[in-house]
Amino acid sequence: MDNCLFCKIAAKQIPATVVYEDDELLAFKDINPAAPVHLLIIPKQHISTLSDCEEGHAALLGKMLALAPRLAKEHGVSVVYDAEGAPTRGYKTLINSGPDGGQVVYHMHMHMYGGPRPWKGMH
C-alpha cells in the first residue's frame, strides 16, 4: 500500500527501533508506549485487518503469536516462576481490528505489552 505507515516502516522508508526481523515479520518498539515494554509485531505483507485474514494466513498468524514469548524473554517480561512455583512478571498480546476494535493503523499488527503495571489505559 502506497500510504501505509507500517508498509513504509517494513520497507525501511521510515525509521523504527527494530527488535526482530525475518522474511515475513518485523517487530519494533512503539513510539508512544503504553507500557514499559510495548512492541508491535507486523507482517511485511500488507493485510489491513485481522478480518481480512484467510485460511492461507494461518501459518503467518501462528508465527506472529509464537514470536511474542521469544520477544518477552528478550525484553525481560516473560513469565517466570518463584521458589513456590507461582508465576511472576508477564505480558499481554492484543490485535485491534476495525474502528470499534480500536484499530488506528490499517496494517494488521499485534501489540505486545509488558513490564510493571500500571500501564497507560490498560486493564
Side-chain angles (χ1 to χ4, degrees):
M1 300 295 291
D2 292 339
N3 205 24
C4 173
L5 174 66
F6 289 171
C7 283
K8 289 179 180 181
I9 289 173
K12 308 292 193 244
Q13 296 170 349
I14 295 176
T17 303
V18 174
V19 297
Y20 176 86
E21 182 173 11
D22 67 20
D23 291 341
E24 297 178 298
L25 300 179
L26 186 71
F28 52 93
K29 293 183 178 182
D30 193 292
I31 61 168
N32 187 23
V37 174
H38 184 172
L39 306 177
L40 300 173
I41 300 170
I42 68 167
K44 289 183 175 179
Q45 172 189 3
H46 182 85
I47 303 167
S48 293
T49 73
L50 184 59
S51 294
D52 294 309
C53 287
E54 300 171 351
E55 195 171 314
H57 293 112
L60 179 67
L61 292 167
K63 188 174 181 181
M64 288 175 68
L65 193 57
L67 181 57
R70 172 182 168 175
L71 294 176
K73 184 174 184 178
E74 290 174 3
H75 288 83
V77 297
S78 62
V79 176
V80 294
Y81 298 90
D82 66 18
E84 288 78 38
T88 64
R89 299 192 316 197
Y91 58 97
K92 176 180 187 172
T93 57
L94 174 70
I95 298 175
N96 300 314
S97 295
D100 287 342
Q103 188 172 5
V104 176
V105 177
Y106 280 83
H107 182 119
M108 187 190 61
H109 56 285
M110 183 171 69
H111 295 261
M112 193 202 77
Y113 306 96
R117 295 180 70 108
W119 302 337
K120 294 188 293 185
M122 295 294 223
H123 301 290

